[in-house]
């Protein structure tokens, strides 16, 4: 089993980078709208704080987490939004302090968790590494939404390798959640990292292939950009279909983003 320390370290760095982006915001900037409909900067941070709290319960208090799942089942369409609304209503300094405390508690809990532990979740159970990867993915993706609201361009880093790997591993889930038959054969995926390194997945002789920048692939699987605006290339009908439905996050398919030119 792989050592989860590198992804936990990268999660801490990703969180710290986002913290630096919001730490000095003026009160009115917390109310800026983000690309997520009806969500402000405050909603984005509140959502991260809420999900960190749920993750911490899953790692440290399974009974309490089970109660959270029961509440979610009574509000299937509103549970996530309600959590964000509650947090966004707090004064910014309180919201920021709560997010910092919650994520630090989660990071420490992941570091001391047994290496082979499996934690309950709203989807399949998660390992230490998969929990940290999921939190890194969300922190990065919601951080992009915040940066868009602030008109800030964030420099991509090779921390994206964890999100890219998750995007590849969730291929079958993405097909299934869209009600599509899951391809039998593996795909070859070749992605160019921000550092210029080539990240490869799957057999070299696969008939279906996806190539392009790792940043673009991560934007696609987190649904932060439309395929039409990305420099990803697919060879083979199944790979081509995958780029239309890819998602690395649990839950039902999201609406995605429209192309910069307008309606897809």
């Amino acid at each position: 089993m792989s050592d989860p320390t590198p992804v936990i370290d990268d999660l801490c760095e990703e969180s710290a980078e986002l913290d630096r982006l919001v730490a000095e915001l003026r009160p009115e900037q917390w109310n800026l709208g983000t690309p997520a409909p009806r969500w402000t900067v405050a909603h984005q941070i509140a959502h991260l704080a809420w999900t960190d709290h749920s993750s911490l319960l899953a790692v440290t208090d399974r009974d309490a987490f089970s109660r959270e799942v029961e509440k979610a089942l009574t509000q299937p369409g509103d549970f996530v939004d309600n959590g964000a609304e509650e947090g966004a209503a707090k004064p910014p300094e309180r919201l920021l302090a709560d997010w910092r405390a919650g994520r630090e508690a989660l990071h420490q809990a992941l570091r001391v968790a047994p290496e082979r532990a499996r934690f309950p979740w709203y989807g399949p159970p998660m390992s230490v590494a998969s929990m940290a990867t999921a939190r890194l993915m969300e922190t990065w993706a919601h951080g992009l939404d915040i940066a868009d609201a602030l008109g800030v361009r964030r420099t991509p880093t090779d921390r994206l390798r964890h999100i890219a790997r998750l995007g590849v591993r969730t291929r079958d889930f993405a097909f299934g959640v869209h009600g599509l038959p899951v391809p039998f054969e593996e795909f070859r995926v070749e992605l160019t990292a921000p550092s210029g390194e080539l990240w490869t997945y799957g057999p070299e002789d696969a008939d279906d292939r996806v190539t392009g920048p790792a940043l673009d692939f991560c934007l696609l699987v987190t649904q932060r950009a439309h395929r039409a605006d990305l420099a990803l290339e697919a060879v083979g009908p199944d790979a081509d279909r995958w780029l239309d439905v890819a998602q690395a996050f649990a839950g039902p398919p999201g609406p995605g983003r429209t192309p910069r030119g307008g309606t897809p």
Side-chain angles (χ1 to χ4, degrees):
M1 182 173 292
S2 60
D3 178 8
T5 302
V7 67
I8 297 173
D9 289 344
D10 282 349
L11 169 60
C12 292
E13 291 182 20
E14 190 69 34
S15 299
E17 182 177 301
L18 178 55
D19 195 311
R20 289 191 291 272
L21 184 61
V22 301
E24 303 300 327
L25 292 183
R26 300 184 302 277
E28 65 270 19
Q29 289 179 295
W30 286 87
N31 293 321
L32 290 173
T34 69
R38 300 181 301 280
W39 276 26
T40 65
V41 171
H43 284 86
Q44 298 283 352
I45 293 297
H47 174 69
L48 290 176
W50 177 84
T51 317
D52 284 342
H53 176 69
S54 292
S55 301
L56 181 62
L57 291 181
V59 174
T60 63
D61 190 338
R62 296 191 177 209
D63 289 342
F65 180 75
S66 294
R67 292 191 290 272
E68 289 295 302
V69 173
E70 291 173 3
K71 284 196 292 185
L73 292 175
T74 66
Q75 312 167 45
D78 302 319
F79 192 62
V80 171
D81 283 338
N82 289 344
E85 286 287 352
E86 182 178 345
K90 298 177 182 178
E93 61 275 12
R94 170 68 184 281
L95 174 58
L96 186 57
D98 287 350
W99 175 50
R100 287 169 172 168
R103 75 175 197 250
E104 178 62 25
L106 174 61
H107 299 168
Q108 292 305 315
L110 290 171
R111 289 192 187 281
V112 301
E115 189 174 289
R116 296 184 179 276
R118 304 286 294 181
F119 309 121
W121 195 239
Y122 298 99
M126 288 185 152
S127 67
V128 177
S130 61
M131 179 70 80
T133 300
R135 298 310 309 133
L136 191 156
M137 174 188 67
E138 279 224 79
T139 302
W140 178 76
H142 290 285
L144 288 177
D145 291 344
I146 291 170
D148 283 348
L150 298 174
V152 173
R153 179 177 173 80
R154 301 181 72 196
T155 302
T157 74
D158 278 10
R159 293 192 294 270
L160 291 178
R161 66 185 181 275
H162 305 292
I163 303 171
R165 182 170 179 267
L166 181 62
V168 171
R169 293 182 63 190
T170 53
R171 184 202 72 169
D172 292 359
F173 168 77
F175 275 91
V177 78
H178 282 83
L180 299 171
V182 175
F184 180 75
E185 301 291 343
E186 289 187 70
F187 298 166
R188 176 69 170 183
V189 180
E190 298 181 354
L191 304 173
T192 304
S195 64
E197 182 182 353
L198 184 66
W199 298 337
T200 61
Y201 313 87
E204 291 185 29
D205 61 350
D207 291 331
D208 283 74
R209 312 173 70 86
V210 169
T211 59
L215 172 61
D216 286 19
F217 182 74
C218 292
L219 289 169
L220 183 80
V221 300
T222 58
Q223 295 190 356
R224 259 50 191 186
H226 191 277
R227 176 184 178 180
D229 296 323
L230 303 172
L232 296 171
E233 296 186 7
V235 174
D238 286 336
D240 186 67
R241 176 62 64 87
W242 183 35
L243 295 189
D244 288 333
V245 301
Q247 68 176 68
F249 51 89
R257 301 285 167 85
T258 57
R260 285 194 291 266
T263 304

